[in-house]
Amino acid sequence: MPSPKTEPVHLTDEERAVLKSWARGRSLEAWRARRARIILELDGGATIGRVAELVGCSRTTVGKWRARFAADRIDGLEDAPRSGRPRAVSDEQVQALVDRTLHSKPANGDRAWSTRSAAQAAGMSQSTVSRVWRAFGLKPQAIDSWKLSTDPDFVDKVRDVVGLYMNPPENALVLAVDEKTQMSSPGFCGESESCF
């Protein structure tokens, strides 16, 4: 169905220059470049249907931005405030939480922050702390470091194992056995495991 005849958009030279810079800008958001292209195409006399085809969006979208531009000019192309509850946590609070998580330990002597202890220290809810940690990929409870054994014979055992690999005895068979955390006793063999 052909587009109904609409009045063309008439841009001033200043508006055209701003919209052209938005449309070709590499560092701007994609939504801003798309809206600028819509208005520039309409300024060139293209119909709503043709602009939708050229820009790759719906006719409704073109009509929306045409109406917003007609009412408020370039300011109309910005995002309108969204409904809903305003943010309760500022960027500064988020930054402070991330810094505290990465660079300090809880005052209660725990090894790492929990959502509960971090929430209490930051004065925010546990769910907010959890959302921030997920957004930044923080997992303070995960162990990222090597734990050295407290076994007094550890060094001698390591030397023995490394010695077997570096200089194995003639006709020797070296088996490596690692403990499994799901086993309740060292002598247990499951159905899928072979016991010697």
Side-chain angles (χ1 to χ4, degrees), residues 93-104 111-115 118 122 124 126-144:
Q93 288 173 302
V94 170
Q95 182 64 44
L97 172 64
V98 170
D99 288 343
R100 180 181 291 116
T101 303
L102 293 174
H103 304 296
S104 69
R111 171 183 78 70
W113 290 101
S114 66
T115 54
M124 53 182 70
Q126 231 179 309
S127 59
T128 300
V129 170
S130 182
R131 281 193 301 273
V132 170
W133 283 359
R134 268 195 311 273
F136 284 87
L138 299 176
K139 296 179 183 178
Q141 71 283 4
I143 299 171
D144 289 341

Short mmCIF file of all heavy atoms in Angstrom, two decimals, residues 93-104 111-115 118 122 124 126-144:
data_model
loop_
_atom_site.label_atom_id
_atom_site.label_comp_id
_atom_site.label_asym_id
_atom_site.label_seq_id
_atom_site.Cartn_x
_atom_site.Cartn_y
_atom_site.Cartn_z
N GLN A 93 27.83 5.12 43.96
CA GLN A 93 27.62 4.03 44.91
C GLN A 93 28.04 2.69 44.28
O GLN A 93 28.62 1.85 44.95
CB GLN A 93 26.16 3.96 45.35
CG GLN A 93 25.74 5.10 46.27
CD GLN A 93 24.25 5.07 46.54
OE1 GLN A 93 23.44 5.14 45.63
NE2 GLN A 93 23.90 4.97 47.82
N VAL A 94 27.72 2.51 43.01
CA VAL A 94 28.12 1.28 42.31
C VAL A 94 29.64 1.19 42.27
O VAL A 94 30.22 0.14 42.55
CB VAL A 94 27.51 1.23 40.89
CG1 VAL A 94 28.12 0.10 40.08
CG2 VAL A 94 26.00 1.09 40.96
N GLN A 95 30.31 2.30 41.93
CA GLN A 95 31.77 2.32 41.86
C GLN A 95 32.38 2.01 43.23
O GLN A 95 33.34 1.25 43.33
CB GLN A 95 32.27 3.68 41.36
CG GLN A 95 33.77 3.77 41.21
CD GLN A 95 34.30 2.82 40.16
OE1 GLN A 95 33.73 2.71 39.09
NE2 GLN A 95 35.38 2.12 40.47
N ALA A 96 31.79 2.57 44.29
CA ALA A 96 32.31 2.32 45.64
C ALA A 96 32.14 0.85 46.01
O ALA A 96 33.05 0.24 46.61
CB ALA A 96 31.59 3.21 46.65
N LEU A 97 31.01 0.24 45.63
CA LEU A 97 30.79 -1.18 45.91
C LEU A 97 31.80 -2.06 45.17
O LEU A 97 32.38 -2.98 45.75
CB LEU A 97 29.36 -1.59 45.53
CG LEU A 97 29.04 -3.08 45.60
CD1 LEU A 97 29.16 -3.59 47.02
CD2 LEU A 97 27.67 -3.36 45.03
N VAL A 98 32.03 -1.75 43.90
CA VAL A 98 32.99 -2.53 43.11
C VAL A 98 34.39 -2.39 43.70
O VAL A 98 35.11 -3.38 43.86
CB VAL A 98 32.96 -2.09 41.63
CG1 VAL A 98 34.10 -2.71 40.84
CG2 VAL A 98 31.61 -2.46 40.99
N ASP A 99 34.78 -1.17 44.05
CA ASP A 99 36.11 -0.95 44.65
C ASP A 99 36.25 -1.71 45.97
O ASP A 99 37.28 -2.33 46.23
CB ASP A 99 36.36 0.54 44.89
CG ASP A 99 36.61 1.30 43.60
OD1 ASP A 99 36.90 0.65 42.57
OD2 ASP A 99 36.48 2.54 43.62
N ARG A 100 35.22 -1.64 46.82
CA ARG A 100 35.26 -2.33 48.10
C ARG A 100 35.38 -3.85 47.88
O ARG A 100 36.15 -4.52 48.54
CB ARG A 100 33.99 -2.03 48.91
CG ARG A 100 33.98 -2.72 50.27
CD ARG A 100 32.70 -2.43 51.07
NE ARG A 100 32.68 -1.04 51.49
CZ ARG A 100 31.78 -0.14 51.09
NH1 ARG A 100 30.82 -0.50 50.27
NH2 ARG A 100 31.83 1.09 51.52
N THR A 101 34.63 -4.37 46.92
CA THR A 101 34.65 -5.81 46.65
C THR A 101 36.02 -6.26 46.18
O THR A 101 36.51 -7.31 46.60
CB THR A 101 33.59 -6.17 45.58
OG1 THR A 101 32.30 -5.73 46.03
CG2 THR A 101 33.55 -7.65 45.32
N LEU A 102 36.65 -5.47 45.33
CA LEU A 102 37.92 -5.86 44.74
C LEU A 102 39.13 -5.60 45.63
O LEU A 102 40.13 -6.31 45.55
CB LEU A 102 38.13 -5.14 43.40
CG LEU A 102 37.18 -5.52 42.27
CD1 LEU A 102 37.42 -4.61 41.07
CD2 LEU A 102 37.35 -6.97 41.89
N HIS A 103 39.06 -4.57 46.48
CA HIS A 103 40.27 -4.12 47.16
C HIS A 103 40.23 -4.18 48.69
O HIS A 103 41.14 -3.65 49.33
CB HIS A 103 40.59 -2.68 46.73
CG HIS A 103 40.74 -2.52 45.26
ND1 HIS A 103 41.72 -3.15 44.52
CD2 HIS A 103 39.99 -1.84 44.35
CE1 HIS A 103 41.58 -2.84 43.24
NE2 HIS A 103 40.54 -2.06 43.12
N SER A 104 39.22 -4.79 49.27
CA SER A 104 39.19 -4.88 50.73
C SER A 104 38.56 -6.19 51.16
O SER A 104 37.96 -6.90 50.36
CB SER A 104 38.42 -3.69 51.32
OG SER A 104 37.05 -3.80 51.01
N ARG A 111 36.96 -14.40 54.71
CA ARG A 111 37.93 -14.43 53.63
C ARG A 111 37.51 -13.55 52.45
O ARG A 111 38.33 -12.95 51.78
CB ARG A 111 38.09 -15.89 53.19
CG ARG A 111 38.89 -16.11 51.96
CD ARG A 111 38.91 -17.58 51.57
NE ARG A 111 37.71 -18.04 50.94
CZ ARG A 111 37.33 -17.71 49.71
NH1 ARG A 111 38.03 -16.88 49.01
NH2 ARG A 111 36.23 -18.20 49.19
N ALA A 112 36.20 -13.51 52.18
CA ALA A 112 35.69 -12.74 51.04
C ALA A 112 34.33 -12.17 51.38
O ALA A 112 33.66 -12.60 52.33
CB ALA A 112 35.58 -13.65 49.81
N TRP A 113 33.90 -11.20 50.59
CA TRP A 113 32.60 -10.58 50.78
C TRP A 113 31.49 -11.54 50.39
O TRP A 113 31.59 -12.25 49.39
CB TRP A 113 32.48 -9.32 49.92
CG TRP A 113 33.33 -8.20 50.36
CD1 TRP A 113 34.53 -7.81 49.84
CD2 TRP A 113 33.07 -7.29 51.43
NE1 TRP A 113 35.02 -6.73 50.51
CE2 TRP A 113 34.14 -6.38 51.50
CE3 TRP A 113 32.03 -7.15 52.34
CZ2 TRP A 113 34.21 -5.36 52.43
CZ3 TRP A 113 32.08 -6.13 53.27
CH2 TRP A 113 33.16 -5.25 53.32
N SER A 114 30.42 -11.52 51.15
CA SER A 114 29.18 -12.19 50.75
C SER A 114 28.22 -11.07 50.34
O SER A 114 28.45 -9.90 50.64
CB SER A 114 28.58 -12.98 51.92
OG SER A 114 28.16 -12.10 52.95
N THR A 115 27.15 -11.43 49.66
CA THR A 115 26.20 -10.38 49.28
C THR A 115 25.63 -9.70 50.52
O THR A 115 25.41 -8.49 50.53
CB THR A 115 25.05 -10.94 48.42
OG1 THR A 115 24.43 -12.03 49.10
CG2 THR A 115 25.53 -11.37 47.06
N ALA A 118 28.43 -7.37 52.08
CA ALA A 118 28.67 -6.22 51.19
C ALA A 118 27.48 -5.27 51.21
O ALA A 118 27.65 -4.05 51.19
CB ALA A 118 28.94 -6.70 49.77
N ALA A 122 27.66 -1.41 52.38
CA ALA A 122 27.37 -0.38 51.38
C ALA A 122 26.06 0.35 51.64
O ALA A 122 25.78 1.36 51.00
CB ALA A 122 27.34 -1.01 49.99
N MET A 124 22.98 -0.91 51.04
CA MET A 124 22.03 -1.22 49.97
C MET A 124 21.51 -2.63 50.14
O MET A 124 21.97 -3.36 51.03
CB MET A 124 22.66 -1.01 48.59
CG MET A 124 23.96 -1.72 48.34
SD MET A 124 24.72 -1.40 46.71
CE MET A 124 25.25 0.26 46.85
N GLN A 126 20.64 -6.66 49.40
CA GLN A 126 21.40 -7.81 48.95
C GLN A 126 21.19 -8.05 47.45
O GLN A 126 22.13 -8.38 46.73
CB GLN A 126 20.93 -9.05 49.72
CG GLN A 126 22.02 -9.82 50.35
CD GLN A 126 21.46 -11.01 51.12
OE1 GLN A 126 20.57 -10.88 51.94
NE2 GLN A 126 22.01 -12.16 50.86
N SER A 127 19.96 -7.87 46.99
CA SER A 127 19.67 -8.10 45.57
C SER A 127 20.37 -7.07 44.70
O SER A 127 20.83 -7.38 43.60
CB SER A 127 18.16 -8.10 45.31
OG SER A 127 17.59 -6.87 45.69
N THR A 128 20.51 -5.85 45.18
CA THR A 128 21.24 -4.83 44.42
C THR A 128 22.72 -5.20 44.31
O THR A 128 23.31 -5.11 43.24
CB THR A 128 21.09 -3.44 45.09
OG1 THR A 128 19.70 -3.10 45.12
CG2 THR A 128 21.86 -2.37 44.34
N VAL A 129 23.30 -5.65 45.41
CA VAL A 129 24.70 -6.09 45.38
C VAL A 129 24.86 -7.23 44.39
O VAL A 129 25.78 -7.25 43.57
CB VAL A 129 25.18 -6.51 46.79
CG1 VAL A 129 26.54 -7.19 46.73
CG2 VAL A 129 25.23 -5.31 47.71
N SER A 130 23.94 -8.17 44.43
CA SER A 130 23.99 -9.32 43.52
C SER A 130 23.91 -8.88 42.06
O SER A 130 24.66 -9.36 41.21
CB SER A 130 22.85 -10.28 43.86
OG SER A 130 22.89 -11.41 43.04
N ARG A 131 23.02 -7.93 41.75
CA ARG A 131 22.89 -7.43 40.37
C ARG A 131 24.17 -6.73 39.92
O ARG A 131 24.62 -6.90 38.79
CB ARG A 131 21.69 -6.49 40.24
CG ARG A 131 20.37 -7.21 40.13
CD ARG A 131 19.27 -6.26 39.68
NE ARG A 131 19.07 -5.14 40.58
CZ ARG A 131 18.28 -5.16 41.65
NH1 ARG A 131 17.63 -6.26 41.97
NH2 ARG A 131 18.15 -4.10 42.41
N VAL A 132 24.76 -5.93 40.79
CA VAL A 132 26.00 -5.22 40.45
C VAL A 132 27.12 -6.22 40.21
O VAL A 132 27.86 -6.12 39.22
CB VAL A 132 26.38 -4.20 41.55
CG1 VAL A 132 27.78 -3.65 41.32
CG2 VAL A 132 25.37 -3.07 41.61
N TRP A 133 27.26 -7.20 41.09
CA TRP A 133 28.31 -8.20 40.92
C TRP A 133 28.13 -8.96 39.62
O TRP A 133 29.10 -9.23 38.92
CB TRP A 133 28.32 -9.16 42.10
CG TRP A 133 28.95 -8.60 43.35
CD1 TRP A 133 29.50 -7.36 43.51
CD2 TRP A 133 29.09 -9.26 44.60
NE1 TRP A 133 29.96 -7.23 44.79
CE2 TRP A 133 29.73 -8.37 45.49
CE3 TRP A 133 28.73 -10.51 45.06
CZ2 TRP A 133 30.02 -8.70 46.79
CZ3 TRP A 133 29.02 -10.85 46.38
CH2 TRP A 133 29.67 -9.95 47.23
N ARG A 134 26.89 -9.33 39.28
CA ARG A 134 26.65 -10.03 38.01
C ARG A 134 27.00 -9.14 36.82
O ARG A 134 27.63 -9.59 35.86
CB ARG A 134 25.19 -10.47 37.91
CG ARG A 134 24.93 -11.85 38.43
CD ARG A 134 23.57 -12.38 37.99
NE ARG A 134 22.47 -11.46 38.20
CZ ARG A 134 21.77 -11.35 39.31
NH1 ARG A 134 22.07 -12.11 40.35
NH2 ARG A 134 20.78 -10.50 39.41
N ALA A 135 26.62 -7.88 36.90
CA ALA A 135 26.90 -6.95 35.80
C ALA A 135 28.39 -6.78 35.57
O ALA A 135 28.84 -6.65 34.42
CB ALA A 135 26.25 -5.59 36.08
N PHE A 136 29.18 -6.79 36.63
CA PHE A 136 30.63 -6.60 36.52
C PHE A 136 31.41 -7.91 36.50
O PHE A 136 32.63 -7.91 36.43
CB PHE A 136 31.15 -5.70 37.66
CG PHE A 136 30.83 -4.25 37.47
CD1 PHE A 136 29.63 -3.72 37.91
CD2 PHE A 136 31.72 -3.41 36.84
CE1 PHE A 136 29.32 -2.39 37.74
CE2 PHE A 136 31.43 -2.07 36.66
CZ PHE A 136 30.22 -1.56 37.11
N GLY A 137 30.70 -9.04 36.60
CA GLY A 137 31.37 -10.33 36.59
C GLY A 137 32.20 -10.60 37.83
O GLY A 137 33.20 -11.30 37.77
N LEU A 138 31.78 -10.05 38.96
CA LEU A 138 32.53 -10.22 40.21
C LEU A 138 32.06 -11.48 40.94
O LEU A 138 30.87 -11.70 41.08
CB LEU A 138 32.35 -9.01 41.12
CG LEU A 138 32.83 -7.68 40.57
CD1 LEU A 138 32.51 -6.56 41.53
CD2 LEU A 138 34.32 -7.73 40.31
N LYS A 139 33.01 -12.26 41.42
CA LYS A 139 32.72 -13.46 42.20
C LYS A 139 33.73 -13.52 43.35
O LYS A 139 34.68 -14.29 43.30
CB LYS A 139 32.83 -14.71 41.33
CG LYS A 139 31.82 -14.75 40.22
CD LYS A 139 32.01 -15.99 39.38
CE LYS A 139 31.03 -15.96 38.22
NZ LYS A 139 31.20 -17.12 37.37
N PRO A 140 33.53 -12.69 44.38
CA PRO A 140 34.54 -12.63 45.43
C PRO A 140 34.70 -13.94 46.20
O PRO A 140 35.74 -14.18 46.79
CB PRO A 140 34.04 -11.52 46.35
CG PRO A 140 32.61 -11.34 46.02
CD PRO A 140 32.43 -11.77 44.60
N GLN A 141 33.68 -14.80 46.18
CA GLN A 141 33.78 -16.06 46.90
C GLN A 141 34.58 -17.10 46.13
O GLN A 141 35.00 -18.11 46.70
CB GLN A 141 32.38 -16.61 47.22
CG GLN A 141 31.61 -17.12 46.02
CD GLN A 141 31.00 -16.03 45.14
OE1 GLN A 141 31.19 -14.85 45.37
NE2 GLN A 141 30.27 -16.42 44.13
N ALA A 142 34.82 -16.89 44.83
CA ALA A 142 35.59 -17.85 44.03
C ALA A 142 37.07 -17.72 44.39
O ALA A 142 37.59 -16.63 44.55
CB ALA A 142 35.39 -17.59 42.55
N ILE A 143 37.73 -18.86 44.49
CA ILE A 143 39.15 -18.87 44.84
C ILE A 143 39.97 -18.75 43.57
O ILE A 143 39.84 -19.57 42.67
CB ILE A 143 39.52 -20.16 45.60
CG1 ILE A 143 38.72 -20.24 46.89
CG2 ILE A 143 41.00 -20.23 45.86
CD1 ILE A 143 38.84 -21.56 47.60
N ASP A 144 40.78 -17.71 43.48
CA ASP A 144 41.60 -17.49 42.30
C ASP A 144 43.08 -17.76 42.56
O ASP A 144 43.91 -17.52 41.71
CB ASP A 144 41.47 -16.05 41.81
CG ASP A 144 40.12 -15.79 41.20
OD1 ASP A 144 39.44 -16.76 40.81
OD2 ASP A 144 39.73 -14.61 41.11
#
